[in-house]
Amino acid sequence: MFSRFTAVLLTALLLLPAPLMADNNAALIEKMRDGGLVIYWRHAVTDHSQRDSNLSDMNRCETQRNLNSAGRQQSRDVGEVFERHGIPVGTVLTSAFCRNRDSAELAFGRYEQVDDLFNLPAVRDQARREWLVTSLRERLATPPDDASLNTVIVGHNLNLRAAANVFIDEGGIAVFEPLGGSRFQHLGSLRPEDL
């Protein structure tokens, strides 16, 4: 049983974050406008009745979990929000999964597919798993070629958790300041509704 003081304190804590969160989101979006960051976007919402069943041919979307209609709209919305807020986008990198490529295409109209963003749970070889994590750390630490732009990575949650200990839901965005080498700083995360 909570004491009266504990109940009042918990209530105050629950009420406090909303305005602070809005201020933090606005500050993070402002930083994104300045460029020079790495923006990690977990692909948009998917149809969880589907499973990744056969990944031998990554162009066969019917053997993968794909975006649902809400995810396709969410992807378009993310692109529109970046444009509306004036968030400059340079290179857009994505894993080979259809859900990632579709998210990038619908949001930004372009992407470069790279092998080192492959979905970590689908990989059984330990050496390759370690390479994926190390490669992602390097990508998060690498500033964009043009400091006025941001690099966008359309990736997977478990890769990000392993590389940076950051969790985001489908459609979520984690923003990193690249510090070179394998160093980076997580500046914060946004849900699609925060944009």
Side-chain angles (χ1 to χ4, degrees), residues 14-84:
L14 289 172
L15 294 175
L16 183 61
L20 291 177
M21 192 176 290
D23 288 346
N24 289 341
N25 293 346
L28 190 55
I29 290 169
E30 187 62 37
K31 281 188 167 290
M32 292 164 67
R33 279 190 197 115
D34 294 339
L37 303 176
V38 177
I39 299 170
Y40 191 98
W41 176 29
R42 183 178 176 191
H43 58 78
V45 178
T46 59
D47 179 352
H48 284 272
S49 70
Q50 300 173 333
R51 295 281 176 251
D52 295 329
S53 58
N54 181 351
L55 302 178
S56 61
D57 181 353
M58 295 307 293
N59 289 316
R60 291 191 57 209
C61 296
E62 71 275 8
T63 65
Q64 302 175 37
R65 191 175 86 235
N66 293 290
L67 300 182
N68 58 23
S69 59
R72 288 188 291 279
Q73 185 58 52
Q74 185 180 65
S75 297
R76 288 187 285 272
D77 291 346
V78 165
E80 289 171 12
V81 165
F82 270 62
E83 197 170 307
R84 184 174 71 242

Side-chain angles (χ1 to χ4, degrees), residues 160-188:
L160 185 62
R161 287 178 77 175
N165 199 28
V166 173
F167 172 86
I168 51 177
D169 288 320
E170 289 186 332
I173 290 172
V175 181
F176 295 89
E177 179 180 2
L179 301 172
S182 60
R183 297 179 315 116
F184 51 84
Q185 180 181 0
H186 177 228
L187 300 178

Side-chain angles (χ1 to χ4, degrees), residues 91-105:
T91 303
V92 178
L93 302 173
T94 182
S95 89
F97 284 73
C98 294
R99 56 187 174 263
N100 297 71
R101 291 183 290 154
D102 290 347
S103 294
E105 181 66 35

Side-chain angles (χ1 to χ4, degrees), residues 88-94 101 103-112 149-150 154:
V89 175
T91 303
V92 178
L93 302 173
T94 182
R101 291 183 290 154
S103 294
E105 181 66 35
L106 289 165
F108 305 112
R110 60 189 168 84
Y111 61 86
E112 177 186 341
L149 302 175
N150 297 295
V154 186

